[in-house]
Structure formats: C-alpha cells, structure tokens
Amino acid sequence: DVKVTQSSRYLVKRTGEKVFLECVQDMDHENMFWYRQDPGLGLRLIYFSYDVKMKEKGDIPEGYSVSREKKERFSLILESASTNQTSMYLCASSSWAGTPYEQYFGPGTRLTVT
Amino acid sequence: EDQVTQSPEALRLQEGESSSLNCSYTVSGLRGLFWYRQDPGKGPEFLFTLYSAGEEKEKERLKATLTKKESFLHITAPKPEDSATYLCAVQAGTYKYIFGTGTRLKVLA
C-alpha cells in the first residue's frame, strides 16, 4: 500500500511567518508534487521534483519554494505567509514504473494564514 | 488549451439509485485518465487508471469507462458511504496533470 504522509493536518500561521510543510512517501517514488486546492479552482500545481535536489516550477510557484534533500521527503516552504495562501495543500508522489504515472496523495494540510 | 470538465457539479441520489458522472477532456496527448474519491478535509484517494479508448475498470459499485473524448464513472446501487467528491484528472505530459473541479455526490438513505 502506497503511503504518503504530511507533517500536519491543520496549521494556523500569522502573516509574514515562514511556514514549512513536509511530505514523506514510503514507496521509493521518483516524482513528488505539491498542489494547492481551492473551492471552484481544483488542484493547481505549485512545484514538482523528479529526483533528489531537482525541482521544477508548476503553474503557481510565486511565494513558495521547495526542498528535496532525500528521495522520500519533499518540503514546501512559504517564505513569508500571506492571507491569500490560506488553502488546502496536497502532496503527491508517483513512480516512473509503468505508464501512465498514477499519483498518490497525502491526507492534506489545511493552512490558515491570519 | 488542455482542459478537463466534470459534470454535474453536484448530484443527489437515493440509496440504490444508479447514475453516472461525466468527465470530458481536451488534451493534445493523453497519457492516461484517473479517477479519485475525495472525502471532506482529506486528500484524494486513487480509484482507477484508464489508458485507451474502450477500456473499463471496476471496483465494487463503481465502474469507469473511457472514450476518446470523455470518461464516465458509473455508480450502481449506491450507498450513503459512497457520498464524496469524485475527481477526474488527465495526464497530458510527463509531469503535467490536469484536474477537473469534481462532482459532489450525496447518497441519501
């Protein structure tokens, strides 16, 4: 069973704070993704990584950065949190094995920035 | 422009009342289509992968089908525990996934 875990289910932060969201997968997947999900907008890709220390911008990278120092771990960093970053954050992973590449999601982190 | 549209946005069914959810897509190069179930406040749970037109997959009361332009998620004799949001996504590139906004299903006892 694929397992993707996220460090927090709920977070409340203040405007301007630096926020770290962590994701860990246990299936030795090469690819990891960070999305945010907002009502009516669906899932939007923030960043993804296809290998350790490799990262690529997604559709909405502004205000975010990422880090992947180990294969199983992918961190999302909000350098200076703002209220428009209040959202549900979802981490996903996928493998190169087989086509197409199914994504498996973590439980999500509901972030509120006040 | 690559796009995924799901309909209806919301659906209320009586327990046992079968129905279908629709996912229509326009992508330049379809690598695969996925269905997920998402419960409130949780991450999407993977259900099915479909790859080629004519393909069908089944799991309990759910059956997913794929044509060249759309996919259907058929729910047979649904139960209240099937209530959730069902998401459709297409893989349009190596790392490019496009998600629909989902169908919110409510099954009444």
Side-chain angles (χ1 to χ4, degrees):
Chain A
D1 240 16
V2 176
K3 187 87 171 170
V4 180
T5 57
Q6 294 183 230
S7 50
S8 305
R9 292 298 310 278
Y10 301 96
L11 273 181
V12 180
K13 297 292 182 180
R14 294 201 180 275
T15 301
E17 278 193 86
K18 192 168 186 175
V19 182
F20 293 87
L21 303 181
E22 193 164 74
C23 174
V24 177
Q25 51 94 4
D26 68 356
M27 285 302 294
D28 202 34
H29 282 176
E30 295 81 7
N31 310 312
M32 297 187 75
F33 306 79
W34 275 106
Y35 291 90
R36 62 178 284 176
Q37 184 178 31
D38 300 288
L41 296 178
L43 275 76
R44 293 180 291 166
L45 180 64
I46 304 171
Y47 269 96
F48 68 94
S49 169
Y50 53 88
D51 201 352
V52 174
K53 297 193 185 294
M54 306 305 291
K55 59 187 178 185
E56 295 286 343
K57 293 180 180 179
D59 300 317
I60 52 164
E62 296 78 19
Y64 303 95
S65 62
V66 290
S67 173
R68 193 166 180 201
E69 296 297 318
K70 293 185 177 182
K71 189 176 184 180
E72 68 272 17
R73 198 175 296 265
F74 193 33
S75 300
L76 179 69
I77 302 143
L78 286 66
E79 298 291 341
S80 177
S82 64
T83 55
N84 63 12
Q85 292 179 310
T86 291
S87 187
M88 171 71 117
Y89 288 88
L90 293 165
C91 175
S93 72
S94 71
S95 171
W96 282 108
T99 301
Y101 310 135
E102 300 156 354
Q103 290 182 309
Y104 294 89
F105 285 85
T109 296
R110 172 74 64 185
L111 173 66
T112 302
V113 183
T114 62
Chain B
E1 182 188 351
D2 295 334
Q3 196 169 351
V4 173
T5 303
Q6 291 188 246
S7 62
E9 286 188 19
L11 182 63
R12 290 166 69 93
L13 299 173
Q14 290 295 131
E15 185 172 4
E17 181 187 0
S18 301
S19 188
S20 295
L21 313 183
N22 178 262
C23 172
S24 62
Y25 62 90
T26 53
V27 293
S28 51
L30 180 71
R31 306 241 184 146
L33 184 142
F34 311 97
W35 283 98
Y36 293 87
R37 170 191 170 125
Q38 186 174 25
D39 292 301
K42 296 188 177 180
E45 174 191 347
F46 172 77
L47 292 174
F48 301 112
T49 299
L50 300 166
Y51 181 56
S52 55
E55 192 174 0
E56 297 184 354
K57 294 273 181 75
E58 280 190 71
K59 180 180 180 179
E60 296 180 0
R61 295 177 292 282
L62 301 176
K63 182 168 85 171
T65 61
L66 181 66
T67 72
K68 288 187 177 180
K69 295 290 184 186
E70 58 192 347
S71 176
F72 292 93
L73 185 66
H74 307 279
I75 304 176
T76 302
K79 298 182 178 182
E81 54 261 42
D82 294 322
S83 297
T85 295
Y86 290 86
L87 296 175
C88 169
V90 298
Q91 184 179 1
T94 305
Y95 304 108
K96 185 177 181 182
Y97 296 80
I98 304 160
F99 287 80
T101 52
T103 293
R104 294 189 311 279
L105 174 66
K106 177 76 172 175
V107 182
L108 304 170

